[in-house]
Amino acid sequence: MTTFDSGTVTIEEFLAQEAGKDLLRFFTAGSVDDGKSTLIGRLLYDSRGIYEDQLASIRQSRVNRSTGPIDFSLLTDGLRAEREQGITIDVAYRYFSTPKRKFIIADTPGHEQYTRNMATGASTAALSIILVDARLGVLPQTRRHAAIAGLLGIPRVVLAVNKMDLAGYDQAVFEKIRTDFLAFASRMGFEHIQPIPVSALEGENVARRGTAMAWYTGPALLEHLESVPVAETRAHPDLRFPVQYVNRPNLYFRGYAGQIASGSLSKGDPVLILPSGKTSRIASISTFDGDLETASAPMSITVTLEDERDISRGDMLVHPERRPVAARTFDAHLVWMHEDPLAPGRSLLIKQTTQQVTGRVTAIQGRLNLQTMEDSAAPILGLNDIGKVRIEASRTLLFDAYRANRPTGSFILIDPISNATLAAGMILGAVDRAAPEGHVTTSERLQRNGHSPALLAFSNRELALRLERRLFDHGCQVLASDKPVAQAELAWQAGLIVIAPEIADARVRQLDLVPLPKEEEAALDALMAYLEQQGILGVIERFDSGEGI
Amino acid sequence: MRSLSHLRALEAESIHIFREVVAEFAKPVMLYSIGKDSSVMLRLAQKAFHPAPMPFPLLHVDTTYKFREMIEFRDWYPASIGCELRVHTNREAVAAGASPIALGTSKCCGLLKTRALLDGLEAGGYDAAFGGARRDEEKSRAKERIYSFRDQQGQWDPKNQRPELWNLYNSRVDKGQSIRVFPLSNWTELDVWHYIHLENIPVVPLYFAKVRDMIVRRESLIPPEHNVLPLLPDEKPQPVLCRMRSLGCTPCTGAIRSAADTVPKIIEELLSFRRSERENRIIDHDQEGSMELKKREGYF
Ligand SMILES: Nc1nc2c(ncn2[C@@H]2O[C@H](COP(=O)(O)OP(=O)(O)OP(=O)(O)O)[C@@H](O)[C@H]2O)c(=O)[nH]1
Ligand SMILES: [Mg+2]
């Protein structure tokens, strides 16, 4: 709700004021019972963001775990189980607004068991308030939440050292926690950390500065929330338009609908369509309110193109010179959210932008140790673990690193059998083919060659040489030999396509048996088609290399 | 880059949700409650699929206790923008005389709303149902995901919700399971009226102040329509300048005293309100946590 201290506001004043307001999404985090829900309740109460009937209902509530007349945590702990157990189980969203700004608050649970709900509330936020109980200091769960906020790329943090009333409002207590927190949090890539000593219960330094801590000269929490910059300073500049839905109401309109993930586009702009690699131009940006000349993230629009192109959900429109990464294999951070641990190798679903493909985690490269805040080796990831993994998708994904572009660098993993959401993923980057770790695997070889190995027996020497050239120009690792090949195993293992009059190997395919037209070009076309149909060519998509296309 | 205004950002988010559902589900439907939130949802859906018509029907769960003006609006507005409307009623319960007075509000709601909704969804074979609920309405709704998973019985398990990260929604359901989708999750009551104002969206006239006959009981203004509530001795409906802040069934939706007869006046009035919009809804007040209980049973 909106609060105004002055009694009446005219519609003109309202519209003018609203137009000038921006929106800050933030969430609370920290260990269980540190006072997150109480802090949010207090903030809403002191900024007149609570309706009287809601307040009356919590005043009358049978439950009151606080030492004051009102248990402010009840304003967000809205589930019966939460009130009964006195903890937050799932994230609650609250909306409030001051004359300066609009806020969406996600009050998340501190209990370790519900870390996934904390990540849910955090994923859409621009600022986190991490609470620490002044008596207990930094706890493992504080570190876990800070690490998740860091991985999620939340740029700004408020360190709220709470329950200062129980620590005698002592500056030394605050300084100690501040130092401990900064020691590990400074490595997490936050843009800005604002420590504030507060008492959620007493309202000290919450909506306004209090009197109990004269030694503190910084802003009160609300002051900070109202003034902190919200513009995405790290917004990715390049156009990424994942096609969400193809809109074909009739023969004359073929629109591609979606929400612009980053950058902007204008009528007449050239666009590259991925993964097909075809190009076209924006013919129109069509909306219910009329055509637009230009549109930018995060608008939801529909575009038409100048040319007929075969485009479907999951494709991406980009600027021809500004391509995203296209790769099947990539490294990522995961927050594992399921009771059953992640064991590499199992088939999973990956949802990223508007595509959903199957894939697997091929290796766990490390698990975050919350004591040392370093990665250490781990065979599995358990519930709430944070790890670094390698993932192989069955099809090429189009992405940017999460750090550079949140909407295209994020993904979730889904269990194809139970349908459970298993993990939140943040892409680090494509796997560099030049320097993979460990020995070179068959699939890496397949990816580099772009085709399967093949042993082709062919007695037409002329045509064999022409086919070698055709395949070579196509990018294949190919060798035509005019002598029989006895040791085929080596060539097979290296992933080559070998063409020879005779090959002593069970895996050989007889090109002589392929019916061929007389004319040479047509015969070559037929041979290429045969290889494609046999799954030797074309199984691996063009854009699996891990480099920009 | 200039950032989108607050409302345009909400609009873009909601349109994204509509399209995502239509792209990923086999048979979506929109639960149409005729109120202001439904009107806003309709406009957002029109925008999402423009220039095509909306690719799903509307389902209205009719308890037979709705205001006459609501039914008139229902039969006019959706059709005027080319929507297909289906209506479902729990005929059996209506025939048996179900009413909030006879059964109590909670049982009456259970039969005429929740049961009828579940049956209507099942009859249509819908695997996704849009609803206009907002998180700012009520404390258990504040806990809802945008995609709210429902089991084979249509039930909500608030203690075991799927994580929901960024705007990557998990649309996987097995046969019989479904998702309730709330495209207005992040809209507030004020946002809704602000948008209605900017976009000039038609709403039921009951939202605008007018002199209406009401049963006046202490603070409450109870609409006499449908004659469900037995009058006390000497009691008779009196003319009162009032309007409805939220719309439901006549016996369970109180009016508020108000002179706001235009959208700008409603917005001005909202800014001065110190009480929540659901306060006049009897359904939420039966007992603590009653909305949560209803939602667990399959209410939306
Ligand atoms: N003395 C004192 N008590 C506080 C303060 N803040 C919170 N509390 C109390 O600490 C307890 C836990 O508060 P909550 O707000 O429920 O904590 P939480 O962090 O939301 O807990 P979870 O959400 O379950 O992780 C309650 O009994 C509060 O009344 C404070 O500033 N001073
Ligand atoms: Mg809490």
Side-chain angles (χ1 to χ4, degrees):
Chain A
M1 64 178 287
T2 298
T3 57
F4 289 89
D5 285 326
S6 65
T8 50
V9 181
T10 67
I11 185 76
E12 289 75 25
E13 284 164 357
F14 167 76
L15 293 175
Q17 205 169 48
E18 289 299 293
K21 277 188 198 176
D22 52 15
L23 172 71
L24 177 67
R25 288 183 183 232
F26 67 90
F27 68 99
T28 57
S31 199
V32 67
D33 272 354
D34 282 351
K36 298 174 288 297
S37 302
T38 306
L39 182 72
I40 294 311
R42 186 84 216 191
L43 184 66
L44 292 168
Y45 178 74
D46 286 352
S47 57
R48 307 211 318 145
I50 304 171
Y51 286 121
E52 281 162 9
D53 52 307
Q54 292 172 340
L55 195 62
S57 103
I58 65 163
R59 269 189 212 276
Q60 286 153 18
S61 172
R62 281 171 287 120
V63 187
N64 183 348
R65 293 179 310 124
S66 80
T67 48
I70 303 173
D71 184 346
F72 289 110
S73 70
L74 298 180
L75 278 168
T76 54
D77 287 343
L79 299 176
R80 294 181 137 217
E82 293 179 323
R83 291 168 177 230
E84 279 156 23
Q85 294 170 42
I87 56 164
T88 304
I89 292 173
D90 211 330
V91 50
Y93 295 90
R94 291 289 307 213
Y95 304 78
F96 89 112
S97 145
T98 67
K100 295 207 178 102
R101 190 167 264 181
K102 287 187 169 265
F103 299 95
I104 299 181
I105 311 173
D107 179 33
T108 79
H111 199 293
E112 185 182 342
Q113 189 186 343
Y114 306 118
T115 302
R116 57 180 172 230
N117 297 335
M118 172 270 174
T120 293
S123 66
T124 50
L127 178 144
S128 66
I129 303 180
I130 301 181
L131 277 85
V132 175
D133 185 326
R135 301 165 303 172
L136 305 176
V138 171
L139 299 171
Q141 189 66 350
T142 322
R143 294 167 180 271
R144 188 192 308 275
H145 279 184
I148 292 173
L151 288 180
L152 286 172
I154 313 297
R156 296 177 174 273
V157 176
V158 172
L159 167 67
V161 178
N162 188 32
K163 307 197 188 181
M164 286 299 291
D165 54 306
L166 299 179
Y169 293 115
D170 183 354
Q171 182 174 10
V173 171
F174 172 67
E175 294 297 342
K176 165 85 171 64
I177 291 172
R178 191 174 80 111
T179 312
D180 287 353
F181 185 84
L182 293 180
F184 72 87
S186 56
R187 284 184 286 154
M188 291 179 174
F190 297 121
E191 269 173 38
H192 184 255
I193 301 175
Q194 174 72 52
I196 307 179
V198 299
S199 167
L201 190 74
E202 304 295 338
E204 287 284 325
N205 292 336
V206 179
R208 54 192 75 90
R209 290 183 215 199
T211 48
M213 292 172 276
W215 46 264
Y216 174 73
T217 53
L221 179 63
L222 182 58
E223 238 178 302
H224 179 70
L225 295 174
E226 281 190 313
S227 59
V228 68
V230 286
E232 258 280 15
T233 48
R234 295 194 285 208
H236 199 278
D238 299 336
L239 173 66
R240 303 286 183 253
F241 182 68
V243 175
Q244 194 184 4
Y245 179 75
V246 180
N247 196 355
R248 275 216 86 176
N250 56 52
L251 287 173
Y252 312 104
F253 188 90
R254 185 198 281 260
Y256 304 103
Q259 186 169 21
I260 304 175
S262 63
S264 59
L265 54 79
S266 299
K267 199 177 158 187
D269 277 0
V271 286
L272 177 72
I273 302 147
L274 296 176
S276 75
K278 300 233 161 58
T279 55
S280 186
R281 280 175 190 281
I282 304 285
S284 73
I285 305 169
S286 157
T287 78
F288 180 83
D289 305 296
D291 284 6
L292 301 176
E293 281 303 308
T294 177
S296 57
M299 290 166 71
S300 284
I301 52 162
T302 302
V303 300
T304 61
L305 299 182
E306 286 180 3
D307 312 273
E308 283 260 323
R309 296 280 185 244
D310 180 15
I311 299 175
S312 45
R313 175 173 162 89
D315 290 359
M316 193 184 275
L317 305 188
V318 303
H319 188 276
E321 256 78 70
R322 298 273 179 182
R323 302 169 181 209
V325 182
R328 282 197 340 166
T329 309
F330 56 90
D331 286 342
H333 278 122
L334 286 189
V335 180
W336 190 254
M337 302 180 153
H338 203 267
E339 285 74 13
D340 300 340
L342 162 71
R346 238 184 84 209
S347 179
L348 302 168
L349 295 170
I350 305 168
K351 185 165 184 187
Q352 180 255 350
T353 65
T354 53
Q355 39 181 350
Q356 190 161 296
V357 304
T358 56
R360 343 177 248 128
V361 173
T362 55
I364 297 172
Q365 293 162 329
R367 178 172 61 193
L368 184 70
N369 178 323
L370 293 172
Q371 289 308 322
T372 60
M373 297 309 271
E374 308 271 348
D375 279 347
S376 52
I380 56 164
L381 290 184
L383 179 63
N384 305 323
D385 276 345
I386 299 163
K388 198 182 144 194
V389 299
R390 178 154 300 174
I391 292 183
E392 204 175 282
S394 61
R395 274 179 28 207
T396 302
L397 296 182
L398 304 160
F399 60 80
D400 301 288
Y402 182 81
R403 279 261 155 212
N405 201 352
R406 279 164 83 170
T408 61
S410 48
F411 63 94
I412 56 171
L413 296 180
I414 301 170
D415 188 326
I417 298 163
S418 73
N419 299 331
T421 305
L422 299 172
M426 288 130 295
I427 299 177
L428 288 159
V431 174
D432 182 2
R433 288 188 315 151
E437 287 166 33
H439 70 94
V440 179
T441 64
T442 308
S443 77
E444 281 175 314
R445 226 181 279 284
L446 273 172
Q447 281 197 37
R448 171 175 298 186
N449 293 342
H451 57 78
S452 306
L455 304 172
L456 308 172
F458 198 20
S459 57
N460 185 336
R461 195 176 134 66
E462 268 303 287
L463 212 49
L465 290 175
R466 295 285 311 274
L467 181 62
E468 181 189 35
R469 166 57 61 192
R470 186 62 97 83
L471 287 168
F472 186 80
D473 290 346
H474 195 72
C476 298
Q477 299 289 340
V478 57
L479 176 74
S481 162
D482 52 5
K483 297 194 185 62
V485 172
Q487 289 286 326
E489 187 55 31
L490 198 62
W492 181 272
Q493 282 194 11
L496 301 186
I497 298 175
V498 176
I499 313 168
E502 227 174 90
I503 304 176
D505 193 287
R507 291 164 294 199
V508 72
R509 289 164 206 263
Q510 300 293 338
L511 290 193
D512 289 323
L513 300 181
V514 180
L516 294 177
K518 286 252 151 25
E519 204 270 315
E520 212 174 61
E521 272 313 300
L524 281 172
D525 288 346
L527 285 167
M528 292 295 283
Y530 168 79
L531 294 177
E532 236 162 75
Q533 177 230 322
Q534 291 294 305
I536 294 162
L537 303 180
V539 269
I540 317 291
E541 286 139 307
R542 260 176 71 207
F543 308 116
D544 56 359
S545 62
E547 294 159 358
I549 300 160
Chain B
M1 201 195 309
R2 210 175 51 87
S3 65
L4 285 188
S5 81
H6 168 67
L7 271 188
R8 295 297 163 203
L10 287 175
E11 177 187 65
E13 177 183 88
S14 302
I15 291 174
H16 172 87
I17 295 165
F18 273 110
R19 290 170 172 168
E20 200 63 12
V21 170
V22 168
E24 293 206 317
F25 286 87
K27 211 169 173 204
V29 66
M30 185 194 286
L31 303 176
Y32 181 65
S33 72
I34 321 177
K36 60 187 188 299
D37 304 310
S38 285
S39 280
V40 168
M41 274 215 294
L42 279 181
R43 175 59 54 88
L44 291 165
Q46 280 182 290
K47 291 196 177 197
F49 302 103
H50 171 84
M54 250 177 264
F56 43 78
L58 310 185
L59 176 65
H60 176 232
V61 174
D62 193 350
T63 60
T64 70
Y65 287 112
K66 301 296 173 189
F67 292 88
R68 181 185 43 81
E69 283 166 274
M70 287 175 74
I71 301 301
E72 282 168 9
F73 187 86
R74 177 196 77 182
D75 293 340
W76 160 67
Y77 183 54
S80 78
I81 56 169
C83 290
E84 185 197 334
L85 175 81
R86 297 178 191 173
V87 178
H88 191 91
T89 298
N90 185 346
R91 291 274 158 224
E92 219 173 291
V94 171
S99 89
I101 306 303
L103 301 177
T105 54
S106 117
K107 195 159 178 201
C108 182
C109 266
L111 288 169
L112 296 186
K113 286 188 175 172
T114 308
R115 188 70 261 150
L117 170 62
L118 293 173
D119 290 346
L121 290 177
E122 199 188 325
Y126 304 114
D127 54 355
F130 296 103
R134 292 176 284 106
R135 287 169 174 160
D136 90 323
E137 274 180 86
E138 196 276 337
K139 60 183 183 291
S140 64
R141 289 199 162 151
K143 297 269 166 184
E144 273 279 16
R145 298 285 188 259
I146 288 174
Y147 273 39
S148 177
F149 177 84
R150 302 302 167 106
D151 66 12
Q152 265 89 357
Q153 279 75 48
Q155 296 177 359
W156 181 52
D157 182 0
K159 281 172 70 183
N160 196 17
Q161 302 196 75
R162 283 179 179 174
E164 190 166 87
L165 286 299
W166 303 286
N167 60 0
L168 297 172
Y169 305 112
N170 179 351
S171 59
R172 304 263 306 178
V173 289
D174 288 337
K175 202 168 160 41
Q177 300 170 338
S178 63
I179 304 275
R180 302 280 171 84
V181 182
F182 301 112
L184 303 184
S185 285
N186 288 320
W187 295 59
T188 63
E189 187 187 13
L190 188 60
D191 293 331
V192 164
W193 281 111
H194 189 179
Y195 194 70
I196 287 170
H197 175 69
L198 290 183
E199 297 271 328
N200 221 339
I201 298 173
V203 292
V204 182
L206 288 163
Y207 285 115
F208 301 110
K210 195 174 107 174
V211 176
R212 296 181 169 90
D213 280 347
M214 290 282 153
I215 303 168
V216 183
R217 281 207 189 151
R218 271 171 287 143
E219 299 291 288
S220 303
L221 303 178
I222 306 161
E225 208 178 319
H226 297 301
N227 300 318
V228 181
L229 189 71
L231 295 180
L232 302 174
D234 291 338
E235 197 176 46
K236 71 175 206 307
Q238 308 170 20
V240 185
L241 182 60
C242 63
R243 67 179 199 88
M244 314 300 293
R245 191 168 169 195
S246 82
L247 291 180
C249 298
T250 57
C252 296
T253 316
I256 55 170
R257 288 177 193 272
S258 163
D261 56 1
T262 63
V263 175
K265 285 185 195 163
I266 289 176
I267 292 175
E268 284 171 25
E269 188 184 77
L270 270 183
L271 294 174
S272 68
F273 270 154
R274 303 298 313 144
R275 307 185 79 80
S276 77
E277 76 189 284
R278 297 197 74 88
E279 193 192 23
N280 305 303
R281 287 286 193 109
I282 292 161
I283 160 170
D284 303 350
H285 298 287
D286 287 349
Q287 54 171 308
E288 186 167 310
S290 63
M291 174 65 92
E292 178 184 342
L293 286 178
K294 287 198 165 39
K295 284 167 61 61
R296 282 165 176 274
E297 287 161 7
Y299 188 62
F300 90 95

